[in-house]
Structure formats: structure tokens, C-alpha cells
Amino acid sequence: MKSLINILTYQAIWFMGVLGGTIGAYGGILLLLIHLIFSPVRGADLRMMGFLLFTGLLVDGTLHQVGFISFTVTGFPIPFWLMVIWLGLAITPHHSLAWLKHRLLLSMFFGAMGGPVAYWAGTRLGAATFNYALLPSLLSLSLIWAILWPVVMYFSVVPRKKPLTIKPLVK
């Protein structure tokens, strides 16, 4: 049941961002805060949110800057609503998508299929436009996400480093 709630929360964040733009993204932020209040792995979720926000800025910012994709609502390097979607995606690796941990090929397949479908759906709903033909756009995204999602899942299992401590020079 918790996994179902988690994936539905992410889907709600995605739809609010894609359909509602900046205003919808504020609803997404509220859902993220509620998730964090109840999350048993809040610290891990927050680390994943930082990692995926940076990743989203890099990936989608690059795709936008090279002219691969255009967004209906502007923002630099990506629109605010898209940043919130990346934050929403970050709540899934430790919850509804935790079953993908340690499954490289399955993660690659999941990324190769799920990533392009999300972009395609976003373009169909009017949030963005591919600037190239549909098939090459989807194939390019499939390659990007086949690499990206296993990296995300790897990051989700990397143990947290201990805080830096200063050791005395002499005992």
C-alpha cells in the first residue's frame, strides 16, 4: 500500500507540473513536504532529491540549450515545474521503485522505456515540444535514460559517508 501511495504521489506531482505549470508545481511541493513528514528514510529521500535536482538541471537544461526540446513555460536552465517533477521522481527510488535496486539490466530497461514515455506524454499534454522528429527524439531519450536510471539506482544504494572528523596529530 505504501508503494502505491508513493507512485500515485509522484504521478500527481508529474500531472500538476505538466498541466499546471508553476502554479501546479506549488501543489507538488506541498505533496513533497507531506511525503517527507511521513517518510521513514527522510535523509535518504533528501539526498536523492538533491542528486536528482542537480541531474535534472544538467540533463534537461542541456537538452533545452542544444535545442532538443522547448518548454511552453520558460525558466533557466529549466522551468520551475520541471524542477519539482525531478524532485518528485526522487521520492521513488527508496519507496515504490526500491525493487530496482541492484538490478542493472532491469533498471536500464525501466529507464529506456519510462523516461521517453514521460517526455512524450509531456509533449502530448502541451508542456513541451520536441524540436526533432518523434522517433529520433524518443530513441535519444531512451539511450539517455537507459544510462541515467541505473546511475540513479546505484546512487540510492551507495552508503552515506561518515562526517568528516579532525583527528589529532599526536595521541
Side-chain angles (χ1 to χ4, degrees), residues 13-171:
I13 292 167
W14 189 91
F15 276 108
M16 283 191 274
V18 167
L19 296 174
T22 300
I23 300 298
Y26 289 118
I29 296 270
L30 179 62
L31 289 178
L32 288 169
L33 290 173
I34 292 168
H35 166 82
L36 289 171
I37 289 168
F38 293 103
S39 176
V41 289
R42 186 177 306 119
D45 285 341
L46 286 168
R47 282 189 299 281
M48 186 60 69
M49 290 169 95
F51 175 69
L52 276 179
L53 179 59
F54 173 78
T55 301
L57 292 169
L58 184 65
V59 171
D60 283 342
T62 300
L63 291 174
H64 177 66
Q65 291 303 310
V66 300
F68 180 87
I69 195 166
S70 297
F71 302 108
T72 308
V73 175
T74 59
F76 184 81
I78 61 176
F80 175 68
W81 62 266
L82 189 51
M83 291 182 210
V84 175
I85 288 175
W86 279 93
L87 291 171
L89 183 60
I91 68 170
T92 62
H94 296 298
H95 303 280
S96 58
L97 298 181
W99 58 274
L100 282 173
K101 292 180 180 184
H102 306 290
R103 294 185 171 143
L104 176 65
L105 292 177
L106 205 49
S107 290
M108 290 176 75
F109 178 76
F110 184 84
M113 297 295 114
V117 166
Y119 284 80
W120 177 74
T123 64
R124 298 291 295 163
L125 291 171
T129 305
F130 290 133
N131 295 321
Y132 298 98
L134 181 62
L135 185 58
S137 295
L138 294 177
L139 290 174
S140 298
L141 289 167
S142 186
L143 177 62
I144 290 167
W145 280 85
I147 296 166
L148 179 61
W149 198 249
V151 170
V152 170
M153 295 313 292
Y154 173 79
F155 184 80
S156 75
V157 297
V158 172
R160 191 173 109 205
K161 293 182 180 179
K162 294 179 181 177
L164 180 64
T165 57
I166 299 173
K167 295 180 181 180
L169 296 174
V170 181
K171 287 188 177 189

